[in-house]
Structure formats: structure tokens, C-alpha cells
Amino acid sequence: MTHNQKSADVSFESLLKIFTIPEGPDSTLTQIEAELSHNLNQFLREHIVAEEKPLTEIERDFSDPAIPEQPQFVSEHTDHLMNTLVAHSVHTSAPSFIGHMTSALPYFLMPLSKIMIALNQNLVKIETSKAFTPLERQVLGMLHRLIYRQHDGFYQQWMHSASHSLGAFCSGGTIANITALWVARNNTLKATSDFPGIEQAGIGQALAYYGYKGLAILVSERGHYSLKKAADVLGIGQQGLVSIATDEHNRIVIDDLQQKIAELKQQGIKPFAVVGVAGTTETGNIDPLGDIADICHHEQCHFHVDAAWGGATLLSDKYRHLLSGIELADSVTIDAHKQLYIPMGAGMVLFKDPDAMKAVEHHAQYILRHGSKDLGSHTLEGSRSGIAMLLYSSMHIISRPGYGMLIDQGIEKARYFAELIQESTDFELVSEPELCLLTYRYVPENIAATMHKATKEQCLTLNNALNELTQFIQKTQRETGRSFVSRTQLNPARWYHHPTVVFRVVLANPLTSREILQAILQQQREIARLAPQLMANISRIAYSIENSTPMP
Ligand SMILES: *Cc1c(COP(=O)(O)O)cnc(C)c1O
């Protein structure tokens, strides 16, 4: 690549310009900015190329480990980015991309995030975030009130209190879950008159002092993998994350929860936290939160609700009741970068008790002094962006009823899609939508009837063959680049708990129409025909089941 003379110069004068004057009005960057503000969807449609480039080829564009020795003009570099990076990005906001929790974004977040970046506030301490700190505390107050519905006096008293905290902003649900369980752990192994607390003494001494052989966190088998990370970093160990059985609706089985708690206690292990899931990542189901709360109350253990994805449902008058019992939780995780339509990097954890986070309070001399309002004294992360501003703005611009409508349309569209699947003779609905998430698979015509007649062993053989087909369809559909559903593996009771590969669909994008959903099913049927061998294999197995002949 040839650089012109000017771009090859490194001068302090030109470096100063980077911090002050931008390039002229006809630069590539200015053009791109104009396109982005004029029509976000069109920008993405035009600049992301549809056809799939193999990852290994994309990697070739990003293979040079040397830091460039020569500077580049901003416009020149932007061209490079458009061709290498933007062109092969994933069009996550396409209305036919219904496989992810990563959502489309409202247009106003583009210019507003520029304000956020321009101000570059650091929320770790008030010195670098005056105005942003109270804003963030207010946003946490809004979410707290949405969940716990305390009286106005409560928020006047605690929202801006230096020594209290209604919760924390963080980069996502993972850190939010870790924070909740960190608080729960420290409150369980807290300081006494002759023990300095786990935060000082460490886990070994803390367990010895309290006479526990270990600690356990309990969650249903549909719990998110971030809880494994939490168990690991908190010194509990992944073995300390105890998995509880789920029923046919993917909800935690309360009897099993009680039994596991009893077993742990008998072994001298302290079950210090139970996690209820409000919107499981794979199936979108909600645990019986009220029942879990009763058990936690009785066992004196921390009740955390992982509502990273489903928590936004509280904004809907029509469906908020689905999460009833969440107000009994000691802590709740909600991701703003899922159903609150905020860009990536916005998670939150809320605590019912404004004193709860004292268990993880940290102080330092130059910042986070005692009595300061520095948010960093209660967060796992240090330096943090002012992304709370984007949620603050969205709450004002969209408003609560507006968010409610977005939630309602998603749930109702999922119900429509479920009906569409059930009316089709060649699709099987695997998990019904409780929120806007459902799973299903393609089962060729007449095979469903055979499935119901099959013995357990025959069913396994047929299921394995169907799994191959589901994987093929999902992969091929993704590679065509026009539409996308994701895939996961479940163990439905209906199919003897056999591993069953399914399509997973999340319907949060308001631009996803019913026609798009119909087209997605049609496309999947057509892709199935591109795999005659897989289809023939399924027919052959079905034939031998129907005719009770041994499998050839
Ligand atoms: C997405 C999700 C998480 C993890 O959140 P990140 O923002 O990806 O870290 C945790 N729990 C549930 C239920 C989720 O859906």
C-alpha cells in the first residue's frame, strides 16, 4: 500500500490537530456520519455485505501484529474500516435476524452516544463525573422502583445517600450476577466481634470460623453460564454451583430445590444463595419466584433473580405480572443492552436493601474516600463510561408506556409465531413462548406421527437424525446471510429427555413483521430439501419404526 507524502509524516503539529480540528467537510468520515444520521437502517443495509465470507479469509485482513509505523489520514483509514470491518460485520438489527438477544437500536442513540463519548466522564469517582454520578444514581433508582415499588420517601432518603447504594451499573449481566453473589457471600461470612469478615480473612478462614465445609449457590439447570464464572471467581468453585431440575416448562422444580438444600446442609455446606431465573436465556421461561422467595426466607439465604433478559417485562402493564415475586428478591440483575434497546455494555444489579452493598465497600486514599459519593466504592469495575446517560435518555424519549408497547409487541409476535409453527404439519414447537422467546424445529411431514409411536430407543435414533438436520438448516440459513435464527440443545420430557437440537428465536425487533416470520419457515423448508441424504436417513428410520423392522 502506498502512502502519500503527507500521510507518511509524523509531526507534533498534526498530532495536535487530532485533538482539535477535524478534516474538511467532504471527507469520507463526514459522509459516513451524514449517512448514519440520515438513515441508520439504510446505512447498515448498504455497508454490511450480505454474503458470508469465511472467517479464515476475514482473519487475513487482521493478521499483521505490527503497530503501524506510518500514520494514516482519518478518511483513508475509514475507507479501510468500511471495507474490512463494517462490510463483514453481522447485521444484528436486521428484522430477519431473530436469533439473538442483541437488539436493534433507536436512531437517537447514535448522536447521543457521541455526546457521551465527547464528555468522556469517568463514573468511578465524582471528580470526573459531576452530574453523571447523580444521573446514574437516579437511573438505578428508576429500575429499583420498577422492581420494588417502594414509596417516594424511600428514594428521597436513599437514592443519593453517600453511604448507601440501590445497586450498580456494570458492563453486563455477567458482572451484575457476580456482584450480587459477591454481596451475598460477604454478607453470609460477615465480620463479627472476633472475626474481620471474609473480605479481610479470605475464604479459608471464613469457612473455618463459621464452621462450614463449603458454600453453595443453587440455580435451575437453565441457569446462565455466567453463574459458573461467579462461583469460580468468588472462591466457591463450580462444584458449588448446584443445578436443580426443571419441569416441562423449563422452570425450577421446587421439591428438588428443597431436597438439594437439605442434602447440602447435611454435608455441612452452606447454601447461601438461590438464583431464580426470570427469562431463561435458552427458552425464556420464568421460575416460580414467590415460591423460591419463601424457601430463601425460611433458610435465611440470599435470593437473587437473574432477569438480565426478562426484567424489562416489568415495564409492561399487561405482562409485568409474569414476574410477580421478583419484588421479594434481595437482588436483581437487568441488562439494559437486551430488552431496553441500549448499546452493548450496559448491565445493572439492584439491591432491595440500601445497606446490602456495604459488604463490598472499598476505600482508597486518593479516591473513594469515606463519605464521598464516588460510585467506585461499591462497584467491581473501576473506570466506567457514562452509558447510564443513554438509558436515562431512552427512558425519557420512549417513556414507560412506550417500552411497555415494545415488550407487548414482542410477546404477542412470539405467540403468533408459535401458532404458525403449530399449524404447520412439518414444524414442531419445542418450548412455548412465555415472553418473546421460543424454540422449535423442522420435522418432515409424517415423521411427527412416527415419533409418537416410537419406543424410547427408536425415538433416540430418530431424534439424532433430526438433530443433524436442524443443525444443517440453521447453519445454512446463517450462511446465506439473509436471515438468522440461533440454535441450542434442550432435553424435552416429551422426547424422553433426549438431547434435542432446536432453533431459538428472540422477537424483540419491532420491525420484524409476520411476513418475515412466514418467510423464515418457508426458507427452512427449502433448505431441508438441500439435504436429501439427511432427509432420506430420517425417512428410512421412520419406515423401519412404522413397519417394526429391525433398523437396516
Ligand atoms: C444475557 C444473560 C446473562 C449475561 O449477561 P451479559 O450481559 O452477556 O454478561 C446472564 N443471565 C441471563 C439470564 C442472560 O440472559
Side-chain angles (χ1 to χ4, degrees):
M1 187 170 154
T2 55
H3 283 265
N4 65 35
Q5 199 51 47
K6 254 161 87 195
S7 72
D9 276 349
V10 187
S11 72
F12 191 64
E13 196 189 329
S14 61
L15 288 177
L16 283 180
K17 277 191 185 161
I18 298 175
F19 290 90
T20 49
I21 316 157
E23 289 177 307
D26 52 352
S27 71
T28 312
L29 194 59
T30 316
Q31 256 172 310
I32 285 172
E33 278 194 293
E35 274 182 53
L36 254 177
S37 338
H38 177 66
N39 190 334
L40 176 60
N41 276 321
Q42 192 177 313
F43 174 87
L44 296 169
R45 249 196 335 266
E46 275 178 16
H47 295 286
I48 300 176
V49 298
E51 98 276 359
E52 173 100 339
K53 187 172 167 180
L55 190 57
T56 47
E57 258 178 63
I58 296 174
E59 281 169 349
R60 245 174 266 152
D61 287 334
F62 301 97
S63 59
D64 185 359
I67 298 171
E69 288 297 324
Q70 292 194 321
Q72 225 176 8
F73 280 122
V74 174
S75 286
E76 192 188 333
H77 176 69
T78 308
D79 282 334
H80 163 77
L81 277 186
M82 294 302 286
N83 294 329
T84 54
L85 187 74
V86 178
H88 303 294
S89 287
V90 176
H91 194 349
T92 53
S93 65
S96 57
F97 263 58
I98 54 171
H100 279 309
M101 290 178 168
T102 303
S103 65
L105 300 176
Y107 85 89
F108 60 79
L109 291 174
M110 304 307 122
L112 289 181
S113 49
K114 281 179 87 169
I115 297 177
M116 174 191 115
I117 291 168
L119 294 169
N120 200 28
Q121 305 288 290
N122 185 350
L123 277 282
V124 73
K125 55 182 195 248
I126 201 125
E127 289 167 16
T128 49
S129 64
K130 207 175 86 181
F132 268 69
T133 289
L135 171 140
E136 185 171 294
R137 283 181 179 271
Q138 185 193 351
V139 175
L140 289 167
M142 287 176 177
L143 270 296
H144 190 284
R145 187 171 172 277
L146 180 70
I147 298 163
Y148 295 112
R149 297 180 147 175
Q150 301 291 316
H151 52 91
D152 290 349
F154 177 93
Y155 297 100
Q156 273 159 27
Q157 188 172 4
W158 306 119
M159 209 157 69
H160 294 288
S161 164
S163 46
H164 298 83
S165 180
L166 298 183
F169 247 87
C170 52
S171 67
T174 299
I175 303 293
N177 282 341
I178 292 175
T179 304
L181 294 166
W182 181 29
V183 167
R185 186 199 69 168
N186 287 13
N187 276 322
T188 303
L189 305 175
K190 59 176 175 282
T192 66
S193 56
D194 58 350
F195 177 66
I198 181 172
E199 64 273 26
Q200 296 293 332
I203 193 134
Q205 279 189 43
L207 290 177
Y209 175 82
Y210 276 94
Y212 300 137
K213 291 209 180 91
L215 298 176
I217 303 163
L218 296 92
V219 67
S220 92
E221 55 195 350
R222 293 270 158 267
H224 191 265
Y225 63 83
S226 57
L227 298 169
K228 282 191 189 165
K229 297 182 184 174
D232 181 357
V233 298
L234 292 172
I236 289 143
Q238 289 190 27
Q239 289 177 358
L241 182 70
V242 179
S243 182
I244 310 297
T246 48
D247 63 17
E248 70 275 22
H249 299 294
N250 298 292
R251 297 181 194 130
I252 196 166
V253 175
I254 291 295
D255 286 347
D256 193 42
L257 175 63
Q258 277 173 316
Q259 197 186 326
K260 289 267 165 51
I261 289 176
E263 283 168 19
L264 288 163
K265 284 182 3 192
Q266 236 169 18
Q267 296 164 40
I269 294 169
K270 168 72 181 167
F272 76 102
V274 179
V275 180
V277 192
T280 63
T281 315
E282 289 168 297
T283 58
N285 294 107
I286 302 158
D287 281 335
L289 304 177
D291 295 345
I292 303 176
D294 287 345
I295 293 174
C296 287
H297 183 70
H298 182 251
E299 298 290 339
Q300 300 218 329
C301 91
H302 185 103
F303 176 30
H304 177 63
V305 171
D306 186 356
W309 175 73
T313 311
L314 294 169
L315 290 154
S316 158
D317 289 330
K318 220 164 158 183
Y319 298 110
R320 106 160 247 143
H321 71 90
L322 293 173
L323 269 61
S324 80
I326 196 170
E327 70 284 356
L328 302 168
D330 295 301
S331 57
V332 175
T333 286
I334 296 187
D335 261 344
H337 61 217
K338 287 179 179 163
Q339 293 201 83
L340 293 174
Y341 302 90
I342 300 298
M344 214 62 60
M348 283 168 286
V349 58
L350 289 309
F351 291 89
K352 185 178 201 169
D353 176 1
D355 278 321
M357 288 198 97
K358 286 194 171 153
V360 295
E361 207 170 280
H362 279 251
H363 296 284
Q365 277 309 314
Y366 74 107
I367 58 165
L368 320 181
R369 290 179 199 98
H370 286 274
S372 81
K373 293 198 173 179
D374 296 345
L375 290 165
S377 56
H378 292 105
T379 54
L380 180 56
E381 287 162 294
S383 296
R384 280 186 309 109
S385 77
I387 199 163
M389 174 198 139
L390 300 184
L391 184 51
Y392 177 84
S393 297
S394 291
M395 291 289 195
H396 281 86
I397 294 169
I398 296 174
S399 82
R400 209 235 358 122
Y403 267 117
M405 273 173 149
L406 288 170
I407 295 294
D408 294 354
Q409 64 87 30
I411 294 177
E412 280 147 25
K413 205 154 30 190
R415 289 180 180 172
Y416 165 78
F417 196 38
E419 274 170 34
L420 201 61
I421 290 164
Q422 278 175 317
E423 284 165 8
S424 312
T425 48
D426 51 356
F427 282 96
E428 176 194 343
L429 186 66
V430 179
S431 66
E432 273 182 48
E434 202 170 351
L435 300 173
C436 68
L437 200 167
L438 58 89
T439 64
Y440 69 103
R441 64 176 174 172
Y442 178 71
V443 179
E445 209 102 28
N446 302 326
I447 300 297
T450 310
M451 283 287 278
H452 286 282
K453 280 183 220 158
T455 65
K456 194 173 166 183
E457 272 82 309
Q458 290 170 329
C459 184
L460 180 66
T461 315
L462 201 45
N463 229 11
N464 287 343
L466 286 168
N467 285 350
E468 275 187 67
L469 181 64
T470 310
Q471 283 177 41
F472 172 81
I473 295 173
Q474 192 269 346
K475 203 162 161 272
T476 311
Q477 195 167 29
R478 175 171 62 82
E479 282 167 4
T480 62
R482 301 269 159 219
S483 50
F484 174 76
V485 303
S486 54
R487 116 172 100 84
T488 190
Q489 187 180 297
L490 299 172
N491 304 77
R494 192 188 325 158
W495 305 129
Y496 307 100
H497 301 282
H498 288 153
T500 302
V501 178
V502 295
F503 304 128
R504 168 177 168 273
V505 155
V506 188
L507 291 165
N509 190 335
L511 298 176
T512 305
S513 64
R514 293 183 168 203
E515 289 69 34
I516 288 175
L517 297 177
Q518 293 157 11
I520 281 175
L521 293 186
Q522 192 49 37
Q523 203 181 17
Q524 291 177 328
R525 284 187 183 105
E526 283 158 19
I527 294 171
R529 281 190 219 114
L530 300 176
Q533 282 183 340
L534 294 178
M535 293 284 275
N537 188 35
I538 291 166
S539 302
R540 186 179 55 84
I541 297 165
Y543 181 85
S544 67
I545 293 172
E546 289 287 343
N547 297 286
S548 311
T549 56
M551 224 82 74

